[in-house]
Amino acid sequence: VESKSHLEQSMRQALPSLDAYLELFAPYEELLRLDPAEYVQSKAAADITIEEAKACVLEHLEKEKQVLSEIPENSVVGLFSVSCADIRKILASRHRRIADLLLDLLLTRFRESAQEITDMFNGIFAQLRKKPVNIEQAT
C-alpha cells in the first residue's frame, strides 16, 4: 500500500499538469480564430492610409519573428517531449499571410492610381496632338 502511494506521488511529480504548456499558447488564441482575409477586408473597408497599411505590415512581420522566437520547436511536459513545430509554423504563417494580403491591397491601390494617372495623361496628350485650325483652338 505504501509503495503504491509512493508510486502515485512519483507519477504526479513526473507528469505535471499541462497548464504551463497551455499558457504558452494562450496569447495566440485570438490569432488562431482570426481569418486573415477577413482581417484585411476590414482594413480595406476602413480605408486605411498607405502609412497605416505599411505600419500594419511591419507589425505583422515583427509578430511573425516574435512567434518563431517565443514558441520552441519542442516543449517538455513531464516525461514527454511535445512537438510545437506545427502550431508554431501555423501561427507564424498567419502573420505572414496578413502581411502578404496587406501588401497585395497596397499593390492594387497603387496599380489603380497609376492607371488613373496614365488615363489622365493620355487624355491630355490626345488634346495636345490635335492640330489647331485657328487661333482660338490653340488656346
Side-chain angles (χ1 to χ4, degrees), residues 7-9 25 32 55 74 86 93 97 107-108 112 114 122:
L7 180 63
E8 287 176 352
Q9 182 181 5
F25 298 105
L32 283 171
N74 294 303
D86 289 340
S93 69
R97 179 77 177 132
L107 179 67
T108 302
E112 289 171 356
N122 286 337

Side-chain angles (χ1 to χ4, degrees), residues 16 19 41 43 61-62 67 70 74 95 105 115 123 129:
D19 292 338
Q41 282 293 54
K43 293 285 187 185
L61 291 176
E62 184 60 36
V67 165
E70 288 180 357
N74 294 303
H95 284 299
L105 173 68
Q115 187 61 47
R129 277 196 329 219

